[in-house]
Structures are given as C-alpha cells and as structure tokens.
Amino acid sequence: MQELSTDAPSKSGARPATRFTYLLLLALYLAQGLPVGFVTQALPVILREQQASLVLIGWSGVLLMPWGLKFLWAPLQDRYYWPRIGLGRSWILPTQGVALLCVAGLALLEPSLLRDPQMAVLFASLLMLLAFAGATQDVSTDGLAVRLLAAGERSMGNAIQVTGSRMGLILGGGGALLLLDMAPWRTVMLGMAGLILLTTVPVWLLREPAWRRARKNQDVAGVGTVRHDAELKRALLPAGEMVEQTALPAELQQADEVACAAPVQGLLPRIRHFLRTEFGYFLSSPELRAWLGVLLVYKLCDAFTSGMVKPMLVDMGYSKSQIGTMVVMLGSGASLLGAVAGHAVLRRVSRMRALLGFNALQALTTGCYALIALLFSGKVSAADGLTAFDMLVYGINALEHFTAGMALVGVLTTVMDYCRLRNGGSDFTLQVSIMSTVSGVAHWLSGYAAEALGYLGYFSAGMVLGLLLLGPLVRWGRLQRQTHPA
C-alpha cells in the first residue's frame, strides 16, 4: 500500500497544507470526539435513565481526567519516538489501537449491568483507559498540526479540528443515543470501534516528514525570532494590518534560551530544569502570564453548565432518540457552522476582540437554558408532536452550540500562536490541559450546584459567572497590544 506525504517543509518552517493534511487532521480529531461524545453526551442520559443522581452524573466527568493531566507526559512524546515511523505516528498508531480495543471491550458490557458494583468499576476503568488513549493521541495530533500548519493556515486548521471533534460528538453522543433506541448495545459499540479503525487509515498512509531539532533562536511556529514576532503580531491583529518587528521580546527570547540550555546534574536540579524547559516559557512575560489567566476561565462557564443540560431534558420527559436526534445532533451540527463562522471572524478582527465576543455570546446563550427551566410546565410526550416548547429547546441548544463552536476555534487558534515548533505537542497540550482541568472541576461541581439551586437558579448563575469572567480576557488584550503595538 502506497504511503501518502504532506508537502515538504519550507526553509522558514511553514508548510503549505494539502487536502490530505486536512483530511488527516479531520479523521484524527473525529476519532478523539467519539469517546468524548459518548462520555459527555450519551453517558449522562444513560445514567439518568438508570436513576443515577445529578451528583453522580457530575462525578462522571472524572472519567475524562486524563485530558486534564496529559501535559505531564506530553514532553515525553515530543522527545521519544521511532524515527522510521515518525514523531507523530509513533504515538498515534498505538493509541488508536488501544482506543479500538477499549470500545470493543465496552461492547461486552450492557448498561443494565451498571447496578452491579463490580461491573460498574470495570465499565469505568475501560472508559478511563479510553480517555487516556485519546488524550495521548491528542498530544501527538496537536503537535503534528503545529508542525504541519503555517501561521496563515491555523484558523482553518483549527476549524477542521473543531469540525472533526464535533463530528465525533455527533456520532459518539447523539448518534449513539439514537441508535440505542433501535439497535442492541453491542452493535452500537462495535460500530463505534469500526469508526475508530476507519479514522486510523489516513495516519497509516501518512509519510511523515523528518523533523529537525529547532535551533537555539528558533521559536513559535517554526521560524526565527524576527519572523516569529512579526507573524505572531500579524496573527493577533485584524487581517490586512501588516507590521514590522525586528526582535523577539526579551522575556520570550529568554524563555526560549532556557529551553535549549545544557543538561544539569543531580535529580532535583534535573527536575527543576525539566519544568523550566518545558513550562517556564509561559511564565516568562506579563503577556504570557495574562494568557494563562485567560485559559483558566475561558471554558469555565461552558463546562459548569453543559453537564446538566441532558439530565434536565431527561427529567422533562425527552427520550434517548429525541435527545440524540433533535438536541445532540442538531446542536453539534450548529457547532460545525459555528466553527466555520469563527474562522471567518478570525480573518477579519483581532484575536482579543474575537475571543471577547465569542465568550460573551456563549455566556448569554448558556443563560437561555434558564428560560427553558422557567417555561417548563409538565412532562413532554412524543404523542403531543413537535410543540412550541420543543422548538424553543432545540433552538436554544443549537444557538449555544453555535457560539461554543466559534469560541473553541478562537481559543485554539490563539493557543497555536503561542506554541514553539520544537515543543509543539507539549506547548499546545499544556494550554489545553489547563482548560480541561478547570472544565473537569467545574463539571464535578455542576451536579452539586444543580441539586442545590434547581435548574433555573443553576443556569442563571452560570450566565452571570460567564459574564464576570470576561475580565481576564480584557487584561490579556491590553498587555498583548502593549507588547505588539500597531
């Protein structure tokens, strides 16, 4: 079987993305989205139907903990690999195999067995291993994307990423719920395993370029310090605003030099050196420290409220097929359109304006779920047909997912702007892990908050929280413009 190759890297480090590159990224991010969609979208419905409490459903977010901790092993994936296989493929192919085996194992366990503590532990263990495989695959996929995509291709690349992830959410979440009302559990899960196998084909065919170790003065996006700063500045300003810059800011250059320093002797000095090498870059300047503050709050509102949407719909009387067809699939489809819209906006306005607008819209639309809770008057019934209340539920869900798609494209594109080429996987992973960890804690607390406040108070509080947390975005924007003045 012939292997396919992406275009060779240019002298500057930028690589013109081919259709195969985008297909490769689409397939890999779709593979990640399948189990995440199952845990975040389908599992809450399954647990609620098994009479699980909202608190227990909130705790199910712990199953995705590897996504928040993946930064711990991400540097190893940037350093150790089989050269003949490739830096990315050395990790992506084995983790795809592990994910396939985990899903095949889940096919042997029926949801009705979850009432047995031993079966519940086995079920949770397989989901945790599946999350570990997906998180590890994500590290290498993100690093591959950082190396393959040039600065001007990042918004499109991240739109592809969001599209692939959301397609996985559709199939692993809404698709699974829809099929579970029509087909046996084992058939549905084996179908998901088959999709994971199918998404492995592009990376199997890839002939990955041989990446060279970056030079000491080489930094973000694989270009020299002079070019990097100009490209970063262009990325953070509206399209068409050209700038000239002669040197990388001193703080960022110092962090880059730390990453290339010679190894030190002794266990504790080695640990300190490792942490400074891999993560000290993000503490090296006021701008980067402010950006870390943005990462801490950017997904907090979404994570705090999204975990209780599906249990609320179950309590209102919606069936698995209704939630799968009209809510999860419609909402995820809207998020695909949001990803495309986010890409278009990012080509026209600065990163700060885009992120501020996206996050504000997401907070406001999340609060619309409080309107649903306020207007709810009794159990819905399929016999009633499509009512005005149903249309309101579906419309608000689609709108919230649309704004979430825009917000995700915006933040991931900016995350990629701050990645160094030689540390592409670990830099990207650290930033995403910060958001994932905060999201996991918020998801865990969501069950307690919903139980205490009720759905109306809970979603209202989520909206207020989201609007209050726009402050760190404004502060980062001010510092960013001071560092890269127009």
Side-chain angles (χ1 to χ4, degrees):
M1 185 176 292
Q2 183 180 3
E3 290 185 327
L4 301 179
S5 174
T6 59
D7 287 350
S10 66
K11 293 180 180 179
S12 66
R15 300 162 183 83
T18 65
R19 291 182 180 178
F20 178 74
T21 300
Y22 290 133
L23 174 64
L24 170 71
L25 296 178
L26 181 69
L28 291 176
Y29 286 117
L30 187 151
Q32 298 171 19
L34 288 171
V36 174
F38 178 79
V39 172
T40 61
Q41 307 289 337
L43 187 60
V45 175
I46 294 170
L47 292 176
R48 194 60 172 171
E49 286 193 337
Q50 298 295 323
Q51 307 303 314
S53 69
L54 295 178
V55 172
L56 179 60
I57 293 173
W59 271 93
S60 67
V62 175
L63 297 173
L64 297 178
M65 185 169 57
W67 287 86
L69 300 178
K70 60 185 178 178
F71 72 94
L72 295 174
W73 58 87
L76 301 178
Q77 293 179 235
D78 278 337
R79 292 172 181 237
Y80 301 104
Y81 62 97
W82 290 277
R84 292 186 61 182
I85 299 178
L87 175 55
R89 294 173 79 241
S90 293
W91 293 93
I92 295 172
L93 288 173
T95 51
Q96 286 282 99
V98 172
L100 191 153
L101 292 175
C102 287
V103 175
L106 289 171
L108 304 177
L109 302 174
E110 294 285 343
S112 59
L113 298 176
L114 293 177
R115 296 179 184 273
D116 183 340
Q118 291 183 340
M119 291 294 101
V121 170
L122 178 59
F123 191 87
S125 298
L126 285 174
L127 286 176
M128 183 71 80
L129 181 59
L130 179 61
F132 177 79
T136 304
Q137 188 255 55
D138 181 61
V139 172
S140 291
T141 300
D142 291 339
L144 188 64
V146 169
R147 293 185 293 270
L148 289 177
L149 297 175
E153 298 164 345
R154 290 178 198 150
S155 60
M156 174 59 74
N158 283 290
I160 292 290
Q161 174 179 353
V162 173
T163 299
S165 298
R166 291 296 174 172
M167 287 175 63
L169 288 175
I170 292 172
L171 297 173
L177 289 173
L178 176 63
L179 292 174
L180 283 172
D181 265 355
M182 301 184 297
W185 167 267
R186 182 171 299 183
T187 301
V188 175
M189 298 309 293
L190 289 178
M192 189 182 300
L195 282 175
I196 294 176
L197 178 62
L198 184 62
T199 58
T200 307
V201 173
V203 73
W204 182 269
L205 297 177
L206 171 67
R207 189 173 71 244
E208 189 175 359
W211 309 107
R212 290 177 297 180
R213 187 72 177 175
R215 295 187 299 272
K216 178 177 178 178
N217 65 342
Q218 201 169 14
D219 204 298
V220 182
V223 292
T225 56
V226 174
R227 176 173 177 138
H228 152 62
D229 199 48
E231 287 199 359
L232 176 59
K233 190 174 179 183
R234 281 196 294 272
L236 295 172
L237 293 174
E241 292 190 22
M242 303 303 292
V243 298
E244 295 296 335
Q245 184 75 14
T246 58
L248 187 69
E251 296 89 346
L252 300 185
Q253 188 169 359
Q254 181 181 4
D256 191 36
E257 291 172 353
V258 167
C260 296
V264 295
Q265 301 298 323
L267 179 60
L268 291 179
R270 283 176 181 271
I271 293 176
R272 287 195 297 268
H273 175 72
F274 174 80
L275 294 175
R276 291 179 62 199
T277 297
E278 302 300 335
F279 308 126
Y281 163 70
F282 290 98
L283 299 174
S284 63
S285 74
E287 178 189 345
L288 286 169
R289 290 192 292 271
W291 175 243
L292 290 182
V294 173
L295 296 176
L296 285 170
V297 302
Y298 192 81
K299 294 285 291 179
L300 190 57
C301 172
D302 176 57
F304 182 70
T305 56
S306 62
M308 292 296 115
V309 172
K310 306 306 179 295
M312 179 178 71
L313 296 177
V314 172
D315 290 346
M316 289 179 173
Y318 287 97
S319 66
K320 287 195 296 287
S321 58
Q322 285 177 304
I323 296 173
T325 304
M326 295 293 186
V327 180
V328 176
M329 295 187 72
L330 178 62
S332 296
S335 70
L336 302 183
L337 297 178
V340 175
H343 165 63
V345 171
L346 286 166
R347 292 175 62 87
R348 291 168 174 80
V349 303
S350 67
R351 297 286 197 261
M352 191 277 287
R353 291 179 181 176
L355 295 181
L356 188 63
F358 294 161
N359 222 19
L361 285 174
Q362 189 174 19
L364 291 172
T365 53
T366 295
C368 291
Y369 285 116
L371 179 62
I372 294 176
L374 179 65
L375 297 178
F376 177 68
S377 58
K379 288 277 187 178
V380 301
S381 172
D384 297 334
L386 186 64
T387 65
F389 182 77
D390 294 334
M391 295 178 65
L392 178 65
V393 171
Y394 305 146
I396 288 176
N397 182 264
L399 180 62
E400 189 266 329
H401 279 78
F402 179 83
T403 57
M406 291 195 298
L408 192 55
V409 168
V411 72
L412 291 180
T413 301
T414 312
V415 162
M416 193 171 286
D417 288 337
Y418 283 117
C419 289
R420 298 163 290 177
L421 176 64
R422 67 169 166 275
N423 293 68
S426 53
D427 282 355
F428 196 101
T429 296
L430 175 63
Q431 296 175 76
V432 173
S433 292
I434 291 173
M435 293 190 290
S436 298
T437 301
V438 173
S439 297
V441 174
H443 190 283
W444 167 59
L445 293 174
S446 64
Y448 293 99
E451 289 274 13
L453 300 176
Y455 289 125
L456 176 59
Y458 168 74
F459 286 111
S460 299
M463 179 185 66
V464 173
L465 177 66
L467 294 175
L468 290 176
L469 292 177
L470 295 176
L473 259 171
V474 176
R475 179 175 180 273
W476 165 73
R478 290 173 179 170
L479 290 171
Q480 176 264 313
R481 293 199 69 86
Q482 290 174 8
T483 306
H484 312 279

